[in-house]
Amino acid sequence: DRSLDALWLLSYLTKWPQFPVEKVVDGTDLLNMIQTIITLQVSKKSLPAMRVLGNLFYLSDTVMSYLIQPSNTTVVTHLGKFLLCDDFRLQREAIWIFSNIAAGPVSCLDILMEDGEQFLQCLRNLIEGAEVEISVKKETIFLLYNLAENAQCKYLPVIVQGGFLRFFVSMANEESQDQRVTELSTEICQAAQQAGLV
């Protein structure tokens, strides 16, 4: 399947920091194609398409703002289904894209959090799930950190009220944990204290 090969090639090219993102924005057919693949049923094209989308969101707030608007929440809505799938690679990729959105423009973050209660419940299930792959849990920590830290900690109270602080406390005190995870967890705990949320 040449289109599948092309998607994988594009997924590698868009990892390059000097990738000409502006040409992708000018040629919106590519963005619309990626969006269409994500809205369809899970297939072999899902993973490379998500990888391309995540890379582009990481490189460009312009691309993110083009695909995530109040009048177009298609990407956010359909990415959510990947949090519920059995393939940990798709789960992890979806969480990474959500993490990029959470660290992006506040307008996109606000759209992501429009149905915040249901979204956070999905994240809670991933963190607490006994069968959830460890890399998925780690990526979820990064996502929660971005949610809590962006927009002058606008959504930090929501994270605390959602019951995630106990998880961050546990991660901050876990010596065997990934050092970056420990650092981020400690930062969230300190921010919550400074904000008088605990």
Side-chain angles (χ1 to χ4, degrees):
D1 188 333
R2 291 184 177 181
S3 62
L4 179 60
D5 292 339
L7 278 171
W8 277 116
L9 176 59
L10 192 57
S11 75
Y12 294 121
L13 290 175
T14 50
K15 287 178 66 177
W16 183 44
Q18 282 74 43
F19 182 81
V21 180
E22 65 280 354
K23 292 185 179 180
V24 175
V25 178
D26 291 339
T28 53
D29 286 348
L30 172 61
L31 295 180
N32 292 334
M33 179 193 73
I34 295 295
Q35 177 175 267
T36 298
I37 291 172
I38 288 172
T39 62
L40 298 175
Q41 289 186 335
V42 175
S43 71
K44 292 181 179 179
K45 294 180 181 179
S46 298
L47 185 58
M50 293 167 72
R51 187 77 50 84
V52 172
L53 185 64
N55 288 341
L56 292 175
F57 279 5
Y58 182 78
L59 290 173
S60 171
D61 286 349
T62 302
V63 172
M64 192 183 301
S65 297
Y66 173 79
L67 283 179
I68 302 177
Q69 304 173 28
S71 60
N72 182 11
T73 60
T74 302
V75 168
V76 169
T77 300
H78 284 274
L79 277 174
K81 71 187 177 192
F82 294 105
L83 298 180
L84 306 175
C85 73
D86 294 328
D87 188 332
F88 80 88
R89 298 172 305 164
L90 295 175
Q91 285 182 326
R92 186 175 59 204
E93 210 70 33
I95 294 168
W96 178 59
I97 296 172
F98 281 133
S99 188
N100 287 338
I101 297 171
V106 177
S107 60
C108 296
L109 170 61
D110 288 341
I111 291 172
L112 175 61
M113 292 299 288
E114 277 183 358
D115 193 6
E117 185 174 340
Q118 183 175 350
F119 180 56
L120 292 178
Q121 181 59 55
C122 286
L123 300 186
R124 188 180 299 107
N125 292 342
L126 291 174
I127 284 181
E128 296 178 344
E131 303 299 321
V132 177
E133 215 270 347
I134 188 63
S135 65
V136 173
K137 293 177 181 282
K138 186 183 298 185
E139 202 65 53
T140 304
I141 286 288
F142 297 147
L143 166 55
L144 287 166
Y145 174 83
N146 287 336
L147 285 174
E149 189 270 342
N150 195 6
Q152 297 181 324
C153 298
K154 177 179 181 179
Y155 289 104
L156 177 58
V158 178
I159 299 299
V160 173
Q161 292 164 10
F164 290 98
L165 194 60
R166 61 186 175 83
F167 185 76
F168 282 116
V169 170
S170 174
M171 292 296 99
N173 295 322
E174 180 60 64
E175 294 182 0
S176 62
Q177 193 58 249
D178 178 279
Q179 183 177 357
R180 185 58 180 154
V181 171
T182 301
E183 290 173 355
L184 295 183
S185 297
T186 301
E187 286 185 35
I188 293 298
C189 293
Q190 292 173 344
Q193 277 191 319
Q194 291 170 2
L197 296 173
V198 291

